[in-house]
Amino acid sequence: MVTRIKQKQIAQLINDGKRLDGREFDKHREIKLEIGVIEKAEGSARVFLGDTEVLVGVKVGIGKPFPDTPSEGVLTVNVELVPLASPMFEPGPPNEDAIEIARVTDRGIREAKTIDLEKLCLQPGKTVLVVFIDVYVLNHNGNLIDASAIAALAALLNTKTSKYEIEEGEVKVKPGYNQLPIRNHPIAVTFAKINDKLIVDPSLEEEEVMDARLTITIEKEGKICAIQKGGTGQITKEQIMEAVKTAETKSSEIRKMVVKD
Amino acid sequence: MTKSDEKLIDKNGLRIDGRKPDELRSIKIKVGVLSNADGSAYIEQGKNKILAAIYGPHETHPKHLALPDRSRLKCRYHMAPFSVDERKSPAPSRREIEISKVIRHALEPSIFLEYYPRTSIDLYIEVLQAHGGTRCASITVASLALADGGIPMRDLTVACAAGKVDGHIVLDLTDNEDKKGQADVPLAIMPNLNAITLLQMDGQLTISEFEETVEFALKGCKQLYEKQREALKAKYVTVEGEEE
C-alpha cells in the first residue's frame, strides 16, 4: 500500500529525528472521544486517533460462569476489522490480526482487574453477568491496539446495566440501572521500531515500514499490566526499558483524557 | 489468584516442585524424530511434551499467497485434545491463533527467508502435553526443527518465561505458578545477536520488577540455549569407539 519511495522517505525522516506528519517521536495523534453514541448498547464510545476511528459497544447479558471462577462474571473482547474500514480488510470471521488486537485489549483490561467481576455474580456457579466488549474498527489508519484499548475503557466507564435480582431461582429485572463496577484504568501505548528508533502511535504508513511493534499497557498505579511485541523484527532490552518508561508518562496523559471524575 | 491459601513458595524459598527460583525444569531435547518431515524435534520441559516439524521450502498453495522476494513462513501451534485436564476441542482456539502468530514473529527474524522467494515453509507444532510455558518451549523446539531441516538461519531462537509468584521473581513458570502467580513474562531471544524476538506479559509488575523479570528470563534463555545446541550436535555425533 505504501510505495517504495515513501517507505524510504519515512525511514530517512526517522533517521533525521522527524516523522512524515511532523509529529515528535513521543507524540500521539490527536485523540477525540465521543461517549454513549449507541443508545441500544449498555455502554459505548467512539474514539478517533488521528484518522483511525474505532467504535466500541458494550453489551451485558446473563450467562454461566466459567467452572474455574464460579463466583465471577465473564468478560469477552471481540474485534471486528469491518471491511468498510480499509481496502485491506475482507469480510469473514476474525483473522489473526483481529484476534491479536482483541486479546491484547482483553489482557490489559483483565490483568488490571478493571472490572470487579465478583460483583457481577448473581448465583455462584450458576448465573453471572457477561460483559461483551465489541470493538468495531471503522477507519484504519494505524495503531488499532491503542484506539481499541482507549475506546474499550471509555465504553466500560460509560456502561450501565439493568438491575438483576434472583427470586425463587429465577432472574428478575428490577427498575433502575447499575453502573458497571470499574476500579482500574489500563491504557495501552504502542511503539513502532523503525531504523532502530522507537516512535509512539504509528500511523498506517509507519506501520507498513516498521520492523517491530511493542505495546505496553499501564494501569493507574503505574504498574505494567500487559505487554505484546508484534511484527517480525527484533528489539533489545534497552529499547524495551526505554519504551516502558515512555509508556508510563504517556499513559497517564491519556488516562486524564479518558477518565474524568 | 483468589485461592491464595496454597503456598507456591515454601519458607526455604523453594517452589512446589522443589526448584530454586532461578532454576529451569528438567529438559530433554531430541532432534530429528519424525522421518517424513524435512526437519523435526521433540522437547520435554518438565511435564510439557511438544513435537515440532517443518515441511519445505516448497511451492506455495494457493499461488497468490506467494511472496515475490522471500519465503513465507506458515506456523501452526496446536494443542492435542488430551494435553490438558479438561478435554480441549481440537478446533483452533483464539489463544492458539494468537500464539501461532507470535511464534511465527519470534522465529522469522532468525531465518534467511529471502533465500527462497515464492516458496513456503510450513511449521507445525503439536503440544502433546501442556504444563505451562508451552509457547516458549514451542519456540525452542521449533527453532531446532528448522535447523534440522537445513533452513539457513542467523541464529537459533530460544525462549523462556519468568514471572512473579508469591511475591518472588521466578524462572520457567509451571501451569499452577502461571495461574496463581502475579505475572508471567515469556521472552524469546537470538542469543548470539542479543536480540529479543518475542516479549509478552500479563499480570502486574512495577517497572523495576519487570526489569528484574526480564533479566531472569534472559538468563534462563542462555541456559536453555546450551541444551539446545547440545541436542542439535548430538544428532551428528557418533559415539567414539562405536565402530570397533
Side-chain angles (χ1 to χ4, degrees):
Chain A
M1 299 293 283
V2 178
T3 55
R4 278 281 156 86
I5 191 145
K6 206 160 197 183
Q7 290 186 11
K8 272 192 182 164
Q9 190 194 1
I10 292 171
Q12 188 60 49
L13 279 170
I14 298 271
N15 271 349
D16 300 341
K18 291 178 196 147
R19 290 169 80 167
L20 201 58
D21 53 12
R23 276 187 289 159
E24 286 159 48
F25 284 3
D26 65 346
K27 282 279 182 299
H28 278 79
R29 289 166 288 178
E30 192 190 358
I31 301 172
K32 279 189 284 186
L33 282 160
E34 290 170 15
I35 308 295
V37 287
I38 305 290
E39 290 88 349
K40 291 268 183 187
E42 276 85 350
S44 61
R46 189 202 293 253
V47 165
F48 298 84
L49 190 54
D51 284 338
T52 289
E53 183 181 346
V54 166
L55 173 66
V56 167
V58 178
K59 294 295 290 176
V60 181
I62 304 283
K64 278 194 155 189
F66 287 112
D68 54 340
T69 52
S71 56
E72 287 181 18
V74 174
L75 162 71
T76 76
V77 180
N78 183 52
V79 170
E80 292 287 333
L81 300 178
V82 188
L84 59 74
S86 162
M88 295 183 299
F89 294 166
E90 289 184 62
N95 64 9
E96 62 170 23
D97 296 326
I99 289 173
E100 187 185 26
I101 299 167
R103 286 182 57 86
V104 175
T105 306
D106 180 291
R107 204 171 293 151
I109 293 170
R110 197 178 297 279
E111 299 299 337
K113 304 188 198 318
T114 306
I115 308 174
D116 190 348
L117 291 173
E118 285 181 16
K119 287 196 177 144
L120 303 184
C121 178
L122 298 172
Q123 279 178 305
K126 278 188 186 164
T127 325
V128 296
L129 294 187
V130 185
V131 179
F132 296 94
I133 301 176
D134 281 288
V135 179
Y136 241 55
V137 175
L138 298 181
N139 201 50
H140 176 24
N141 194 32
N143 199 6
L144 294 177
I145 295 182
D146 290 5
S148 302
I150 293 170
L153 178 61
L156 284 174
L157 286 165
N158 164 250
T159 301
K160 287 188 178 70
T161 70
S162 301
K163 277 193 179 162
Y164 297 101
E165 268 174 34
I166 300 291
E167 279 175 13
E168 292 152 19
E170 298 222 350
V171 182
K172 290 271 157 62
V173 184
K174 297 278 166 186
Y177 294 97
N178 283 333
Q179 193 74 33
L180 198 67
I182 304 294
R183 53 183 179 184
N184 205 337
H185 309 124
I187 299 283
V189 179
T190 295
F191 299 83
K193 195 191 99 174
I194 301 175
N195 279 2
D196 239 20
K197 300 236 166 49
L198 290 173
I199 55 167
V200 145
D201 179 30
S203 67
L204 184 58
E205 285 165 333
E206 288 168 336
E207 279 185 354
E208 285 176 12
V209 184
M210 72 184 175
D211 309 310
R213 189 194 69 217
L214 187 63
T215 301
I216 318 264
T217 310
I218 308 269
E219 53 86 65
K220 67 175 179 186
E221 307 291 342
K223 284 187 189 165
I224 310 165
C225 61
I227 294 181
Q228 178 91 342
K229 180 244 160 195
T232 55
Q234 58 200 49
I235 38 175
T236 63
K237 194 198 154 214
E238 290 69 32
Q239 285 167 336
I240 294 168
M241 293 316 296
E242 179 197 329
V244 165
K245 279 167 194 146
T246 312
E248 194 193 14
T249 6
K250 291 287 136 191
S251 62
S252 70
E253 286 172 25
I254 297 173
R255 191 172 296 107
K256 281 178 200 147
M257 303 175 60
V258 181
V259 187
K260 294 194 176 104
D261 309 278
Chain B
M1 254 167 262
T2 43
K3 295 168 218 139
S4 53
D5 43 332
E6 197 182 336
K7 274 275 177 211
L8 292 168
I9 294 191
D10 72 10
K11 56 184 186 299
N12 301 320
L14 294 179
R15 295 147 76 177
I16 288 184
D17 52 10
R19 280 187 291 155
K20 294 194 222 53
D22 61 348
E23 198 176 332
L24 290 168
R25 284 175 278 188
S26 66
I27 310 281
K28 206 174 100 185
I29 307 177
K30 198 157 186 264
V31 176
V33 288
L34 299 171
S35 62
N36 272 344
D38 294 320
S40 63
Y42 173 71
I43 190 168
E44 283 184 18
Q45 184 166 358
K47 287 182 192 160
N48 287 324
K49 296 178 199 287
I50 303 169
L51 260 177
I54 68 140
Y55 285 82
H58 56 65
E59 204 176 341
T60 302
H61 291 290
K63 279 188 177 170
H64 70 86
L65 292 176
L67 302 170
D69 57 343
R70 65 199 139 102
S71 184
R72 180 170 169 272
L73 179 66
K74 203 175 89 182
C75 172
R76 179 185 191 252
Y77 162 98
H78 184 252
M79 289 174 86
F82 45 77
S83 63
V84 278
D85 292 336
E86 294 274 323
R87 179 179 184 270
K88 190 211 147 282
S89 155
S93 65
R94 291 164 69 87
R95 175 180 168 276
E96 287 170 297
I97 293 170
E98 187 212 336
I99 291 180
S100 301
K101 184 179 178 184
V102 296
I103 290 178
R104 192 181 80 226
H105 285 171
L107 292 168
E108 263 191 40
S110 70
I111 310 171
F112 287 100
L113 291 169
E114 59 273 29
Y115 286 9
Y116 305 101
R118 300 183 299 283
T119 65
S120 289
I121 301 170
D122 299 337
L123 166 61
Y124 299 109
I125 298 164
E126 286 294 333
V127 178
L128 306 177
Q129 182 166 280
H131 196 242
T134 56
R135 80 190 65 189
C136 289
S138 296
I139 290 168
T140 306
V141 72
S143 188
L144 284 173
L146 287 162
D148 181 45
I151 306 290
M153 291 197 285
R154 295 174 176 87
D155 198 350
L156 283 171
T157 306
V158 58
C160 186
K164 187 177 166 192
V165 169
D166 274 359
H168 299 263
I169 306 296
V170 298
L171 183 65
D172 191 14
L173 280 73
T174 62
D175 198 21
N176 282 333
E177 291 174 327
D178 181 13
K179 279 190 187 128
K180 292 173 189 159
Q182 288 93 53
D184 176 32
V185 181
L187 182 123
I189 59 166
M190 293 191 278
N192 296 301
L193 301 175
N194 190 30
I196 296 169
T197 62
L198 170 120
L199 175 71
Q200 293 183 293
M201 184 194 128
D202 57 56
Q204 291 193 15
L205 290 175
T206 64
I207 292 178
S208 63
E209 284 171 339
F210 170 70
E211 189 162 16
E212 195 186 338
T213 310
V214 169
E215 282 300 332
F216 254 67
L218 286 171
K219 275 186 205 148
C221 285
K222 281 174 189 150
Q223 289 176 45
L224 264 170
Y225 174 61
E226 295 305 320
K227 309 250 181 194
Q228 216 185 6
R229 271 177 54 139
E230 275 169 33
L232 188 55
K233 278 188 189 160
K235 194 193 162 188
Y236 300 99
V237 171
T238 48
V239 180
E240 254 180 80
E242 203 179 37
E243 286 171 37
E244 271 173 33

